[in-house]
Amino acid sequence: MTTTVERPYGSIGAQAGGGVDSRRWLALAIIAVAQLMIVLDASIVNIAMPKAQADLHISVADRQWIVTAYTLAFGGLLLLGGRIADFIGRKRAFVGGLLGFATASAIGGLAPDASFLFAARALQGAFAAVLAPAALSLITVTFTETRERARAFGVYGAIAGGGAALGLILGGVLTEYTSWRWCLLVNVPIALLTAAAALPIVGESRAEGKARYDIPGTLTVTAGLVSLVYGFTKAAEDGWSSAVTLGFLAAAAALLVGFVIVEARSAAPLLPLRVIWERNRGASFLSSLLIGGGLFAMFLFLTFYFQVSLGYSALRTGFAFLPFSAGIIVSAGLASQLMPRTGPKVPMVAGTVLTVVGLFTLTQIGLDTSYVSHVLPGELLMSIGLGLIFVPMSSLALIGVEPHDAGVASALVNATQQVGGSLGTALLNTVFATAVTNYVIDHGASPQSTAQAQISGYTTAFVWGAVLILLALATIVVLVRAGKDEVPAQAGAVHAG
């Protein structure tokens, strides 16, 4: 493992004479805007998906690529992005990530067809994978005093938790009163202005030592995940037993096994296997992967239920999701208070149980059911449950980790959630499409039957989403052994999709 030493270049955390530069809080504001843009992008695009699908004539099987192209690139490249930021300079990576994100957003906003949109979303994810770890590292090196660093990460966490709610409303407003395209184009001025503000204010720092990047590991894991998602997509079109579907799934398995072999033999692995073998940390990463699958899919299918089945406007859809964001923020605060008393396992078990109950509650929706009686209870149960999970999950990832592995371990929580979201969305979209097809075959293709088939697809997907969360619950119950005295003092930022 390469030993790295921090070398600041004009760092604004402290001046040469020993005084503290007040611009560090302005730098935090700039970094927070970039983080807000990344968080906003996910929720804004979710609200815009039905309009984008209709406008670009995207099939039901392929619509999940609007989500998975981004999350696959983001999650698959996040660890590499962190290493790039460390070695080329965090400020340079931060500014470059912003400019790249702006370019990708412009391509997506102007996309003439589905392929351009999918490519733009993947490019957004790739630049976000550089931008996000650069932002976190800049906070760490800018705020060197413990209490100030805690306050800075508190601001960062609040942006991560509350930004999604703002994105829901902004996405609704832009889609309703302008076009779904502005849900992507809005990133362009934000990113460019933030990059311009960062140049004179944010200080530079990087890690010394030879820059070594695990390109073989990056290629094998990315190709394996893309092949897996594509296999799920082909299953929706051709069936699970088709040669094409089985071919992609077999290729995915071979590539992912190859990734493990590459990491075991690499001198500078993208993912040091020692980080995931410890049972508590392994439980954190595996449960994050499974919960990400259920969470991202829930957003996808509820969005289409609101707008397609119930006829909600995009703006009304945004407001319909607000209780979900509020519940996560409140319960995450509760989890932070509980952990020192109970350890991580108790809130995580309680949270997964509430999330499963919430998903099963959503299986009762119909064409004539009320939002207040059938959707809101499920949303609140899920949001409270997820808030109880996310905080201890982030802490669990850092239990017993060596200092030089702490960055990888922390980033893995976000990376696994993004990858899990990719795989879960693709898999459950196939489950949805299969359920819809089977319902129409059994009941005919009348308008009423077709509408009811959509409901059958949603509820079937929610059941399988609950199965993913149940697997996460089993993982936590069996593997988590950490007590309250083993939990690190500072948890990572809360991620809500």
Side-chain angles (χ1 to χ4, degrees):
M1 186 79 178
T2 303
T3 301
T4 59
V5 179
E6 297 300 326
R7 185 171 71 186
Y9 293 89
S11 175
I12 65 173
Q15 293 176 328
V20 177
D21 194 331
S22 61
R23 292 187 304 162
R24 67 194 184 283
W25 296 107
L26 184 55
L28 176 62
I30 293 168
I31 295 167
V33 169
Q35 170 64 13
L36 178 62
M37 182 183 66
I38 294 174
V39 174
L40 285 176
D41 187 72
S43 50
I44 281 180
V45 171
N46 270 326
I47 299 299
M49 276 184 66
K51 294 289 180 68
Q53 181 186 358
D55 190 25
L56 298 182
H57 308 291
I58 301 172
S59 70
V60 170
D62 286 339
R63 70 184 181 189
Q64 49 83 19
W65 285 108
I66 301 175
V67 175
T68 55
Y70 178 85
T71 53
L72 266 180
F74 190 7
L77 298 175
L78 189 59
L79 297 179
L80 179 64
R83 292 184 67 82
I84 290 172
D86 285 342
F87 284 108
I88 73 168
R90 283 93 183 218
K91 175 180 176 178
R92 186 178 298 173
F94 182 76
V95 173
L98 284 167
L99 296 177
F101 200 87
T103 301
S105 298
I107 294 171
L110 300 174
D113 55 37
S115 59
F116 267 87
L117 179 59
F118 299 156
R121 290 289 286 159
L123 196 59
Q124 276 187 310
F127 282 109
V130 176
L131 178 58
L136 274 172
S137 297
L138 284 170
I139 294 175
T140 301
V141 299
T142 299
F143 293 88
T144 55
E145 196 273 323
T146 303
R147 292 181 63 184
E148 284 198 347
R149 180 179 290 178
R151 288 173 60 193
F153 274 108
V155 172
Y156 186 89
I159 292 292
L166 178 59
L168 293 169
I169 303 305
L170 184 58
V173 170
L174 290 173
T175 303
E176 187 74 15
Y177 297 110
T178 58
S179 164
W180 66 266
R181 295 180 180 278
W182 276 102
C183 292
L184 292 166
L185 293 173
V186 70
N187 292 323
V188 177
I190 296 174
L192 293 178
L193 289 173
T194 304
L199 288 173
I201 300 298
V202 176
E204 180 64 285
S205 69
R206 69 175 179 87
E208 286 191 335
K210 184 179 179 181
R212 301 169 73 178
Y213 304 114
D214 183 11
I215 302 303
T218 302
L219 292 176
T220 51
V221 71
T222 303
L225 292 172
V226 170
S227 183
L228 189 57
V229 169
Y230 202 76
F232 292 156
T233 303
K234 296 304 292 182
E237 299 172 345
D238 304 332
W240 288 100
S241 60
S242 76
V244 175
T245 300
L246 294 175
F248 276 107
L249 295 180
L255 286 164
L256 293 175
V257 169
F259 169 69
V260 174
I261 295 172
V262 167
E263 297 309 281
R265 297 178 176 179
S266 175
L270 184 70
L271 172 57
L273 297 181
R274 60 182 176 272
V275 174
I276 62 174
W277 287 151
E278 198 277 331
R279 63 184 300 157
N280 292 291
R281 295 196 299 268
S284 173
F285 304 138
L286 181 55
S287 58
S288 174
L289 187 81
L290 293 166
I291 289 167
L295 173 61
F296 280 69
M298 182 278 299
F299 273 112
L300 172 69
F301 297 117
L302 270 188
T303 297
F304 278 88
Y305 172 65
F306 288 146
Q307 295 189 40
V308 176
S309 297
L310 298 185
Y312 281 18
S313 67
L315 183 57
R316 188 178 179 185
T317 299
F319 278 107
F321 275 117
L322 274 185
F324 187 90
S325 296
I328 285 183
I329 294 169
V330 172
S331 61
L334 176 61
S336 298
Q337 299 299 315
L338 283 175
M339 266 204 310
R341 299 183 178 92
T342 67
K345 188 169 185 175
V346 171
M348 290 181 78
V349 168
T352 47
V353 169
L354 287 173
T355 304
V356 168
V357 174
L359 270 170
F360 275 118
T361 301
L362 292 177
T363 63
Q364 303 306 305
I365 61 172
L367 290 172
D368 301 314
T369 51
S370 164
Y371 168 82
V372 173
S373 63
H374 286 73
V375 177
L376 183 59
E379 274 193 23
L380 290 176
L381 286 169
M382 282 193 70
S383 63
I384 293 170
L386 289 167
L388 290 173
I389 296 168
F390 286 145
V391 173
M393 182 187 291
S394 296
S395 288
L396 203 61
L398 297 176
I399 287 180
V401 74
E402 295 295 328
H404 56 268
D405 288 331
V408 171
S410 181
L412 266 176
V413 177
N414 195 10
T416 50
Q417 188 183 117
Q418 296 290 332
V419 170
S422 306
L423 301 178
T425 299
L427 176 61
L428 296 182
N429 191 60
T430 295
V431 168
F432 166 87
T434 303
V436 169
T437 300
N438 290 340
Y439 190 95
V440 171
I441 291 173
D442 292 340
H443 297 84
S446 67
Q448 178 65 24
S449 177
T450 301
Q452 192 60 50
Q454 299 290 314
I455 301 298
S456 176
Y458 301 139
T459 55
T460 304
F462 290 143
V463 168
W464 284 99
V467 170
L468 293 177
I469 308 299
L470 282 171
L471 291 174
L473 174 60
T475 298
I476 293 164
V477 169
V478 172
L479 293 181
V480 175
R481 292 289 183 269
K484 59 184 179 181
D485 296 332
E486 299 175 72
V487 177
Q490 293 182 353
V494 174
H495 299 287

Short mmCIF file of all heavy atoms in Angstrom, two decimals, residues 343-375:
data_model
loop_
_atom_site.label_atom_id
_atom_site.label_comp_id
_atom_site.label_asym_id
_atom_site.label_seq_id
_atom_site.Cartn_x
_atom_site.Cartn_y
_atom_site.Cartn_z
N GLY A 343 -25.82 0.91 20.98
CA GLY A 343 -24.99 0.35 19.94
C GLY A 343 -25.72 0.40 18.61
O GLY A 343 -26.89 0.78 18.54
N PRO A 344 -25.07 -0.01 17.53
CA PRO A 344 -25.67 0.14 16.19
C PRO A 344 -26.75 -0.88 15.86
O PRO A 344 -27.64 -0.61 15.05
CB PRO A 344 -24.47 -0.02 15.25
CG PRO A 344 -23.51 -0.87 16.02
CD PRO A 344 -23.69 -0.51 17.46
N LYS A 345 -26.72 -2.06 16.46
CA LYS A 345 -27.60 -3.15 16.02
C LYS A 345 -29.07 -2.86 16.30
O LYS A 345 -29.94 -3.12 15.44
CB LYS A 345 -27.19 -4.45 16.68
CG LYS A 345 -27.93 -5.67 16.14
CD LYS A 345 -27.30 -6.95 16.64
CE LYS A 345 -27.93 -8.18 16.02
NZ LYS A 345 -27.23 -9.42 16.41
N VAL A 346 -29.38 -2.32 17.47
CA VAL A 346 -30.79 -2.10 17.85
C VAL A 346 -31.50 -1.15 16.89
O VAL A 346 -32.56 -1.49 16.34
CB VAL A 346 -30.89 -1.61 19.30
CG1 VAL A 346 -32.33 -1.17 19.62
CG2 VAL A 346 -30.46 -2.70 20.27
N PRO A 347 -30.96 0.06 16.62
CA PRO A 347 -31.65 0.93 15.66
C PRO A 347 -31.68 0.36 14.24
O PRO A 347 -32.65 0.57 13.51
CB PRO A 347 -30.87 2.25 15.72
CG PRO A 347 -29.56 1.92 16.34
CD PRO A 347 -29.81 0.76 17.24
N MET A 348 -30.65 -0.39 13.85
CA MET A 348 -30.64 -0.96 12.50
C MET A 348 -31.72 -2.03 12.35
O MET A 348 -32.41 -2.09 11.33
CB MET A 348 -29.27 -1.53 12.17
CG MET A 348 -28.19 -0.49 11.97
SD MET A 348 -26.57 -1.19 11.56
CE MET A 348 -26.81 -1.58 9.82
N VAL A 349 -31.87 -2.89 13.35
CA VAL A 349 -32.91 -3.92 13.29
C VAL A 349 -34.29 -3.27 13.30
O VAL A 349 -35.17 -3.62 12.49
CB VAL A 349 -32.76 -4.90 14.47
CG1 VAL A 349 -34.00 -5.79 14.59
CG2 VAL A 349 -31.52 -5.76 14.29
N ALA A 350 -34.48 -2.30 14.20
CA ALA A 350 -35.78 -1.62 14.26
C ALA A 350 -36.08 -0.92 12.94
O ALA A 350 -37.21 -0.95 12.44
CB ALA A 350 -35.78 -0.61 15.41
N GLY A 351 -35.05 -0.29 12.37
CA GLY A 351 -35.23 0.43 11.11
C GLY A 351 -35.59 -0.47 9.95
O GLY A 351 -36.47 -0.14 9.14
N THR A 352 -34.93 -1.62 9.84
CA THR A 352 -35.25 -2.52 8.73
C THR A 352 -36.65 -3.10 8.88
O THR A 352 -37.36 -3.27 7.89
CB THR A 352 -34.22 -3.66 8.63
OG1 THR A 352 -33.99 -4.23 9.93
CG2 THR A 352 -32.90 -3.17 8.07
N VAL A 353 -37.06 -3.40 10.11
CA VAL A 353 -38.42 -3.92 10.33
C VAL A 353 -39.46 -2.87 9.90
O VAL A 353 -40.43 -3.19 9.19
CB VAL A 353 -38.63 -4.31 11.80
CG1 VAL A 353 -40.11 -4.60 12.08
CG2 VAL A 353 -37.78 -5.53 12.16
N LEU A 354 -39.26 -1.62 10.31
CA LEU A 354 -40.19 -0.55 9.92
C LEU A 354 -40.21 -0.37 8.40
O LEU A 354 -41.27 -0.14 7.81
CB LEU A 354 -39.79 0.77 10.59
CG LEU A 354 -40.08 0.88 12.09
CD1 LEU A 354 -39.48 2.17 12.64
CD2 LEU A 354 -41.58 0.84 12.37
N THR A 355 -39.05 -0.48 7.77
CA THR A 355 -38.98 -0.31 6.31
C THR A 355 -39.73 -1.42 5.59
O THR A 355 -40.46 -1.17 4.61
CB THR A 355 -37.51 -0.28 5.85
OG1 THR A 355 -36.82 0.75 6.55
CG2 THR A 355 -37.41 0.00 4.36
N VAL A 356 -39.57 -2.65 6.06
CA VAL A 356 -40.30 -3.78 5.46
C VAL A 356 -41.80 -3.60 5.62
O VAL A 356 -42.57 -3.78 4.66
CB VAL A 356 -39.84 -5.10 6.11
CG1 VAL A 356 -40.79 -6.23 5.71
CG2 VAL A 356 -38.43 -5.44 5.69
N VAL A 357 -42.23 -3.20 6.81
CA VAL A 357 -43.67 -2.98 7.04
C VAL A 357 -44.18 -1.87 6.13
O VAL A 357 -45.27 -1.96 5.56
CB VAL A 357 -43.94 -2.64 8.52
CG1 VAL A 357 -45.41 -2.27 8.73
CG2 VAL A 357 -43.57 -3.82 9.41
N GLY A 358 -43.38 -0.82 5.96
CA GLY A 358 -43.76 0.28 5.08
C GLY A 358 -43.95 -0.17 3.64
O GLY A 358 -44.91 0.22 2.98
N LEU A 359 -43.03 -0.99 3.15
CA LEU A 359 -43.14 -1.48 1.78
C LEU A 359 -44.36 -2.39 1.62
O LEU A 359 -45.07 -2.31 0.61
CB LEU A 359 -41.87 -2.23 1.38
CG LEU A 359 -40.76 -1.38 0.75
CD1 LEU A 359 -39.47 -2.17 0.63
CD2 LEU A 359 -41.18 -0.86 -0.61
N PHE A 360 -44.62 -3.24 2.59
CA PHE A 360 -45.81 -4.09 2.51
C PHE A 360 -47.09 -3.26 2.58
O PHE A 360 -48.10 -3.61 1.96
CB PHE A 360 -45.79 -5.15 3.60
CG PHE A 360 -45.02 -6.38 3.23
CD1 PHE A 360 -43.89 -6.77 3.94
CD2 PHE A 360 -45.40 -7.16 2.14
CE1 PHE A 360 -43.17 -7.90 3.59
CE2 PHE A 360 -44.68 -8.30 1.77
CZ PHE A 360 -43.57 -8.66 2.49
N THR A 361 -47.06 -2.14 3.31
CA THR A 361 -48.21 -1.24 3.34
C THR A 361 -48.52 -0.69 1.95
O THR A 361 -49.68 -0.58 1.54
CB THR A 361 -47.95 -0.07 4.31
OG1 THR A 361 -47.70 -0.59 5.62
CG2 THR A 361 -49.14 0.88 4.37
N LEU A 362 -47.46 -0.41 1.19
CA LEU A 362 -47.65 0.13 -0.16
C LEU A 362 -48.23 -0.89 -1.14
O LEU A 362 -48.73 -0.52 -2.20
CB LEU A 362 -46.31 0.65 -0.71
CG LEU A 362 -45.73 1.89 -0.01
CD1 LEU A 362 -44.39 2.26 -0.60
CD2 LEU A 362 -46.69 3.08 -0.11
N THR A 363 -48.18 -2.17 -0.78
CA THR A 363 -48.76 -3.18 -1.67
C THR A 363 -50.29 -3.12 -1.69
O THR A 363 -50.92 -3.80 -2.51
CB THR A 363 -48.33 -4.61 -1.26
OG1 THR A 363 -48.84 -4.91 0.05
CG2 THR A 363 -46.81 -4.74 -1.26
N GLN A 364 -50.88 -2.31 -0.83
CA GLN A 364 -52.34 -2.19 -0.78
C GLN A 364 -52.88 -1.06 -1.66
O GLN A 364 -54.09 -0.80 -1.67
CB GLN A 364 -52.79 -1.96 0.67
CG GLN A 364 -52.32 -3.04 1.63
CD GLN A 364 -52.73 -4.43 1.19
OE1 GLN A 364 -53.91 -4.70 0.95
NE2 GLN A 364 -51.75 -5.33 1.05
N ILE A 365 -52.03 -0.38 -2.41
CA ILE A 365 -52.48 0.72 -3.25
C ILE A 365 -53.35 0.21 -4.39
O ILE A 365 -53.27 -0.95 -4.78
CB ILE A 365 -51.29 1.51 -3.83
CG1 ILE A 365 -50.41 0.61 -4.70
CG2 ILE A 365 -50.48 2.18 -2.73
CD1 ILE A 365 -49.32 1.34 -5.46
N GLY A 366 -54.19 1.08 -4.91
CA GLY A 366 -55.04 0.74 -6.04
C GLY A 366 -55.35 1.98 -6.85
O GLY A 366 -54.86 3.08 -6.56
N LEU A 367 -56.19 1.82 -7.87
CA LEU A 367 -56.54 2.96 -8.73
C LEU A 367 -57.42 3.97 -8.01
O LEU A 367 -57.44 5.15 -8.39
CB LEU A 367 -57.27 2.44 -9.97
CG LEU A 367 -56.41 1.67 -10.99
CD1 LEU A 367 -57.29 1.06 -12.07
CD2 LEU A 367 -55.37 2.61 -11.62
N ASP A 368 -58.13 3.54 -6.98
CA ASP A 368 -59.08 4.43 -6.30
C ASP A 368 -58.74 4.66 -4.83
O ASP A 368 -59.54 5.23 -4.10
CB ASP A 368 -60.50 3.83 -6.40
CG ASP A 368 -60.94 3.64 -7.84
OD1 ASP A 368 -60.75 4.57 -8.64
OD2 ASP A 368 -61.46 2.55 -8.16
N THR A 369 -57.56 4.23 -4.41
CA THR A 369 -57.21 4.38 -3.00
C THR A 369 -56.70 5.79 -2.71
O THR A 369 -56.20 6.49 -3.60
CB THR A 369 -56.14 3.36 -2.58
OG1 THR A 369 -55.05 3.41 -3.52
CG2 THR A 369 -56.71 1.96 -2.59
N SER A 370 -56.78 6.19 -1.47
CA SER A 370 -56.39 7.53 -1.05
C SER A 370 -54.91 7.60 -0.71
O SER A 370 -54.34 6.67 -0.14
CB SER A 370 -57.22 7.93 0.18
OG SER A 370 -56.64 9.04 0.85
N TYR A 371 -54.31 8.73 -1.02
CA TYR A 371 -52.91 8.97 -0.66
C TYR A 371 -52.74 8.93 0.86
O TYR A 371 -51.81 8.31 1.39
CB TYR A 371 -52.45 10.32 -1.21
CG TYR A 371 -51.12 10.79 -0.65
CD1 TYR A 371 -49.92 10.32 -1.16
CD2 TYR A 371 -51.07 11.72 0.40
CE1 TYR A 371 -48.69 10.75 -0.65
CE2 TYR A 371 -49.86 12.14 0.93
CZ TYR A 371 -48.67 11.65 0.40
OH TYR A 371 -47.47 12.07 0.92
N VAL A 372 -53.63 9.58 1.57
CA VAL A 372 -53.50 9.69 3.02
C VAL A 372 -53.62 8.32 3.70
O VAL A 372 -52.88 8.01 4.64
CB VAL A 372 -54.56 10.66 3.60
CG1 VAL A 372 -54.56 10.64 5.12
CG2 VAL A 372 -54.31 12.07 3.08
N SER A 373 -54.51 7.48 3.22
CA SER A 373 -54.74 6.20 3.89
C SER A 373 -53.83 5.08 3.41
O SER A 373 -53.53 4.16 4.17
CB SER A 373 -56.21 5.77 3.69
OG SER A 373 -56.48 5.56 2.30
N HIS A 374 -53.35 5.15 2.15
CA HIS A 374 -52.62 4.01 1.60
C HIS A 374 -51.16 4.29 1.25
O HIS A 374 -50.36 3.35 1.18
CB HIS A 374 -53.33 3.49 0.34
CG HIS A 374 -54.58 2.73 0.63
ND1 HIS A 374 -55.73 3.34 1.05
CD2 HIS A 374 -54.85 1.40 0.58
CE1 HIS A 374 -56.67 2.43 1.24
NE2 HIS A 374 -56.17 1.24 0.96
N VAL A 375 -50.80 5.54 0.99
CA VAL A 375 -49.41 5.85 0.63
C VAL A 375 -48.66 6.50 1.78
O VAL A 375 -47.55 6.09 2.13
CB VAL A 375 -49.35 6.76 -0.62
CG1 VAL A 375 -47.90 7.13 -0.93
CG2 VAL A 375 -49.99 6.07 -1.81
#
